[in-house]
Amino acid sequence: MRKLRATFQPGCEVLVHRVVGYAEVGAEWTPHLRFLVKVESKEERAGVEALKDAALANVAWVQSAALQDGDVVVPHPDRDEAVVLMRESDTHHALFMTNRCNSYCLMCSQPPTPGDDSWLVEEAVDAIRHLRHSPDVLGLTGGEPLLLGAGLRRVLDAVAQHHPRTRVEVLTNGRLFADPKVVSTILDGLSVPVRWLVPLYGHADFVHDFVVQAHGAYDETLAGLLALQANCQAIQLRIVLIEPVLQVLPELAGFIGRNLPFVHEVALMGCEPTGFALANRALCEVDLSAWGSTLEQAARVLRRHAVPHLFMNAPLCALPRTLWPVASRSISDWKNVYASECDRCAVKARCAGLFAWHEKGWKPAPLKAIEAGEVIA
C-alpha cells in the first residue's frame, strides 16, 4: 500500500473506489462499483457533480497528479490522502490481509499487532471487485493470513469469481495448516490456483524456532507443509538470509532435498532492512558477498536434489557470478530503488536493486557497478 496526496469532492466515502479518467467514466460506469473520477478543471468538477445530482450516487471527483486510471484506492478526504491498494501498472500486485501474526520473526518487516483488523477481509473482497483488469498473479500477505480462517477463504473465492484466470500467492508461515479444521476450511473445494509461500529457516527446530521466536513452530510448519502436499497444493519455501540461517544454510538445503522434495521452488531472499530487522541488526545485517561460498554450496545441494531455486531481493553485485542465472528482479515496484553506484552498471536492467529504505537500514553488500566488459552472456 502507498499513500498519495489528493483532493476529493465533499462527502466522498471512505470506501474502496476505482479511479477513472473523466473522459472514460461513461464507458466504465456500472451501478455495482464506486468511482473516483479524475478531474483537471472546474468544468470537469461540475460535470461529475451533475452526474451525482442525476442519481449516480457512486461517483465522486478527485484531483491528484499522483493517481492513475485503474488504481484501486480508499480515499481519506479528511487527510487529503488516498491509500492505493492496487495499481494497475505495477508488476507485482498484493493485498494486505491482517497485521496479526502467531510468529515474531527476528527480521519481520511488518511487526505484528494484536488488534482486530478483520475488516481488512471485506476491504480485500471489495478491492478485488473494483480491479479493472485481471492480474496474472495476486499476492495475499500480512501478518499471518491463515489467522483469518474462513475470511481468507472468502477472499480466495472472490478471486475465483471475479478474476478466474488469476493465480494467487499467499505468504503464510503455514503453522495453522497443522490443524485439520483449518485445512478443511481453506482448501476443501478450492477452485482458484494458489501457491503457498512458506518460510523455513533451519534443518532443526532450535534454529527455526529461534528465528521465528515461537516454540513449536518448526514442528507445526513441517506438519503444515505435509498437509499442503496431501492436498496437492503448490509450495514455495522461503529462506531469508540472516546470520543464524546462513550458518546452517547448506544443511537446510540438504534437509529440503531429502525430506521436502515435493516443493515447487526454494526462494533464498535478502533481508528487508526495516521493522524488527532494525531492532535485531546484529543478527540481520549481513554482507551477502562475504557469504558467497555458502550461497554457492547451498545452491549446489539444491541442484543435486533437483529442487528448483532462485535468489530474491539481492543485487547482482552481492552474489557470485555463478548464481546470476537464478537471481530474480523481485522487489515490489513501490519498494524498489537503485543507488547512485548503479547508474553506470551494465546489468542494472536485470538487477533486483535495493529496498527503498536501505539508507535507514543497510545495503545487502558493498555495491559495485559492473562494467560492460565484465558481463558474460
Side-chain angles (χ1 to χ4, degrees):
M1 293 186 293
R2 73 205 82 178
K3 299 177 181 179
L4 301 176
R5 302 300 297 171
T7 302
F8 302 95
Q9 182 174 342
C12 183
E13 296 178 285
V14 185
L15 294 169
V16 175
H17 290 68
R18 180 198 295 170
V19 177
V20 61
Y22 183 80
E24 287 74 40
V25 63
E28 290 197 27
W29 184 87
T30 171
H32 308 298
L33 302 176
R34 290 175 293 274
F35 297 89
L36 283 178
V37 185
K38 284 178 61 179
V39 298
E40 297 181 358
S41 65
K42 291 181 179 179
E43 291 74 19
E44 290 181 348
R45 285 188 183 188
V48 175
E49 290 168 357
L51 291 175
K52 202 170 186 71
D53 291 342
L56 270 67
N58 58 340
V59 298
W61 57 256
V62 61
Q63 193 157 14
S64 172
L67 290 175
Q68 299 178 5
D69 291 3
D71 282 354
V72 176
V73 308
V74 176
H76 290 274
D78 57 324
R79 302 199 298 262
D80 289 332
E81 180 179 271
V83 175
V84 180
L85 302 180
M86 286 190 284
R87 169 152 281 179
E88 192 174 281
S89 61
D90 282 350
T91 303
H92 306 95
H93 302 272
L95 287 170
F96 185 73
M97 301 295 299
T98 179
N99 206 48
R100 295 181 296 129
C101 193
N102 53 349
S103 293
Y104 296 89
C105 300
L106 295 173
M107 62 295 183
C108 178
S109 62
Q110 185 73 40
T113 54
D116 180 9
D117 54 9
S118 56
W119 56 270
L120 286 168
V121 169
E122 191 60 42
E123 182 178 270
V125 171
D126 216 8
I128 289 164
R129 291 195 312 113
H130 280 78
L131 193 59
R132 183 167 61 175
H133 299 303
S134 298
D136 293 333
V137 180
L138 175 62
L140 303 179
T141 185
E144 175 46 60
L146 291 184
L147 290 170
L148 298 169
L152 174 59
R153 180 56 186 265
R154 273 195 66 210
V155 176
L156 294 172
D157 288 343
V159 176
Q161 177 185 354
H162 297 285
H163 305 282
R165 287 186 288 275
T166 293
R167 294 177 290 113
V168 177
E169 293 187 337
V170 180
L171 181 58
T172 170
N173 60 41
R175 292 171 54 191
L176 290 177
F177 276 139
D179 182 346
K181 292 181 180 178
V182 175
V183 173
S184 177
T185 297
I186 304 299
L187 299 183
D188 284 358
L190 187 64
S191 60
V192 63
V194 180
R195 183 163 71 157
W196 303 88
L197 315 181
V198 182
L200 187 64
Y201 297 125
H203 63 303
D205 56 1
F206 66 89
V207 182
H208 182 86
D209 289 2
F210 171 69
V211 172
V212 305
Q213 294 288 287
H215 179 68
Y218 179 76
D219 291 338
E220 290 175 344
T221 299
L222 292 181
L225 291 169
L226 294 174
L228 286 170
Q229 165 64 2
N231 284 271
C232 303
Q233 296 292 302
I235 301 165
Q236 181 196 73
L237 282 185
R238 295 197 148 193
I239 303 171
V240 179
L241 301 171
I242 63 173
E243 186 174 345
V245 178
L246 285 162
Q247 288 175 350
V248 300
L249 190 60
E251 290 84 359
L252 174 55
F255 176 87
I256 293 168
R258 291 188 303 273
N259 299 286
L260 304 171
F262 52 81
V263 300
H264 284 209
E265 187 176 61
V266 172
L268 299 107
M269 310 179 68
C271 179
E272 191 168 351
T274 190
F276 281 168
L278 296 177
N280 297 299
R281 190 164 185 157
L283 294 173
C284 298
E285 181 180 4
V286 296
D287 176 357
L288 287 180
S289 62
W291 291 87
S293 60
T294 299
L295 301 179
E296 288 182 303
Q297 183 182 355
R300 283 196 301 271
V301 173
L302 291 171
R303 283 198 304 271
R304 188 182 311 134
H305 289 282
V307 177
H309 56 282
L310 75 160
F311 285 82
M312 300 173 64
N313 303 354
L316 292 175
C317 61
L319 300 173
R321 295 291 181 94
T322 56
L323 301 180
W324 284 14
V326 289
S328 172
R329 290 194 67 188
S330 51
I331 298 175
S332 300
D333 308 63
W334 65 279
K335 298 180 180 181
N336 195 199
V337 299
Y338 294 87
S340 58
E341 296 95 324
C342 306
D343 291 343
R344 57 185 181 84
C345 182
V347 294
K348 179 179 177 180
R350 53 192 271 209
C351 180
L354 301 163
F355 286 102
W357 29 82
H358 71 89
E359 293 293 354
K360 294 182 179 179
W362 58 83
K363 299 182 180 70
L367 300 183
K368 175 184 179 297
I370 308 299
E371 302 292 341
E374 299 179 67
V375 179
I376 302 174

